[in-house]
C-alpha cells in the first residue's frame, strides 16, 4: 500500500489528512470525558526575577493523562479543545484550580499565578464576570492573577472580534488583573500595535532564546535587547521564555531583562513540588 501510495503524492497526502482527522476525533471524544474522569491536572512553572533569583509568579500549564494511557501534550489537545468548544469548560476548571492552588502561595510568599486563556474563552460573554468571581471567592487580590493571551489569538478573528476581546482584557486590567502577551515575536502584529494593547507583560517566545548564545549571537542579542527596552519604555515588564543555560540567563540579566522562565530554573512541576520549591529555596519575592 505504501508503495502504491508512494507513486501518488495526492493519495499520500489524503491518507495523512484522513488519519489526522481520525486522530482529532479520538482526542475530542477522550477530552469530552477527561474532566469528569479526573484526568486533567495542572503543572506549574516558576517565573523567576533575574536580579534576585526570587520566584515572581508561577504559570499554570494544563496536563492530560488519559486513564491507563500516556500524557498527551497540550500542543496536541488544546487546539482540539478550542475547535470543539470544550476549552470553555476546561478553561473554567483551569482558572478555578489555579486560583485555589495560588491562594496559599500568594498568602505565604506574595507570588502571582498566570493562566493561559484562549480566544474562544475570552469571546464567551461570561468570562469577565467569571474571572472576577473566582478571585473574590478565593479572597485573592486581582493582581494575584495574570492572564496570558497570544498575539495570534488576538488577531485571529478579524477587527470587530479583536476589539471585543481587547475590551474584555482592558476591563479586567482596569480591575487590577494583569495581562501578559504570550509567545511574543511569533505572530504578525507590529511593534506599533503593541502600544494599543491592554497588556502589562511581554513574554518573548523561546524561539529567541537559543540564538542568544548561538553563532549569530550579536544580532540575536541586539534584537532581544531592543524588545526589552521598548517594552520598558512602554512600562511593560518582560519575561523571556525557554531559558535553559546559565549563559543565556547572564546575557538576559545584563541587557536588563527583568524576568525569565525555563528549564534552567525549573521545569513545570506539581503543586506539591511548588510548595517544596518555595520552602527550600532562598527565593522569596518581596511582595
Ligand atoms: P506557553 O504558554 O508558551 O507555555 C510554555 C511552554 O514551554 C510549556 O509547554 C513549557 O513546558 C515549555 N517550556 C518551559 N520552559 C522551557 C524550556 O526551557 N525549554 C523548552 N524547550 N520548553 C520549555 P507546555 O506545557 O507543553 O504547553 C504548551 C502550550 O500549551 C503553552 O505554551 C500554551 O500555549 C498551551 N497551554 C498550556 N496550558 C494551557 C491552558 O490551561 N489553557 C490554554 N488555553 N492553553 C494552554
Ligand atoms: Mg503561557
Ligand atoms: Mg509562550
Ligand atoms: Mg506557546
Amino acid at each position: 500500500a505504501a508503495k502504491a501510495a508512494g507513486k501518488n503524492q495526492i493519495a499520500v497526502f489524503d491518507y495523512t489528512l484522513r488519519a489526522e482527522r481520525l486522530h482529532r476525533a479520538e482526542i475530542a471524544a477522550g477530552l469530552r470525558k477527561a474532566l469528569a474522569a479526573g484526568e486533567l491536572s495542572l503543572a506549574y512553572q516558576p517565573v523567576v526575577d533575574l536580579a534576585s533569583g526570587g520566584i515572581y509568579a508561577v504559570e499554570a500549564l494544563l496536563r492530560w493523562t488519559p486513564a491507563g494511557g500516556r500524557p498527551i501534550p497540550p500542543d496536541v489537545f488544546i487546539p482540539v479543545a478550542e475547535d470543539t468548544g470544550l476549552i470553555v469548560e476546561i478553561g473554567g476548571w483551569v482558572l478555578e484550580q489555579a486560583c485555589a492552588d495560588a491562594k496559599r502561595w500568594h498568602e505565604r510568599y506574595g507570588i502571582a499565578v498566570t493562566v493561559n486563556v484562549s480566544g474562544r474563552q475570552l469571546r464567551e460573554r461570561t468570562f469577565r464576570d467569571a474571572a472576577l468571581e473566582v478571585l473574590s471567592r478565593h479572597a485573592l487580590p486581582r493582581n494575584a492573577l495574570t492572564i496570558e493571551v497570544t498575539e495570534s489569538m488576538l488577531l485571529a478573528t478579524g477587527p470587530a472580534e479583536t476589539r471585543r476581546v481587547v475590551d474584555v482584557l482592558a476591563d479586567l486590567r482596569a480591575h487590577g488583573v494583569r495581562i501578559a502577551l504570550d509567545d511574543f515575536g511569533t505572530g504578525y502584529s507590529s511593534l506599533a500595535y503593541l502600544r494599543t494593547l491592554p497588556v502589562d507583560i511581554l513574554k518573548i517566545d523561546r524561539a529567541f532564546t537559543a540564538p542568544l548564545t548561538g553563532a549569530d549571537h550579536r544580532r540575536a542579542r541586539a534584537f532581544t535587547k531592543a524588545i526589552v527596552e521598548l517594552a520598558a519604555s512602554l512600562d511593560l515588564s518582560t519575561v523571556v521564555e525557554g531559558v535553559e543555560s546559565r549563559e543565556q540567563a547572564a546575557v538576559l540579566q545584563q541587557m536588563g531583562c527583568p524576568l525569565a522562565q525555563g528549564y534552567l530554573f525549573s521545569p513545570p512541576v506539581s503543586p506539591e513540588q511548588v510548595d517544596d520549591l518555595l520552602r527550600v529555596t532562598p527565593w522569596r519575592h518581596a511582595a
Side-chain angles (χ1 to χ4, degrees), residues 59 61 114 116 148 182-183 203 241 261:
E59 177 175 8
L61 293 159
T114 89
N116 294 282
E148 293 195 7
D182 205 356
D183 302 349
K203 298 191 76 171
E241 304 190 270
Q261 203 175 344

Side-chain angles (χ1 to χ4, degrees), residues 24-92:
R24 287 175 76 93
E26 229 174 293
I27 290 172
L31 257 185
R32 221 158 261 135
K33 291 175 276 179
L35 197 55
E39 295 169 353
L40 299 181
S41 63
L42 292 181
Y44 292 92
Q45 187 179 37
V47 178
V48 173
D49 180 315
L50 279 170
S52 70
I55 296 180
Y56 174 81
V58 288
E59 177 175 8
L61 293 159
L62 188 56
R63 297 290 176 258
W64 177 27
T65 309
R70 294 160 177 276
I72 298 174
D75 287 332
V76 172
F77 73 79
I78 296 278
V80 179
E82 283 169 350
D83 289 351
T84 54
L86 287 166
I87 193 69
V88 174
E89 192 188 351
I90 291 173

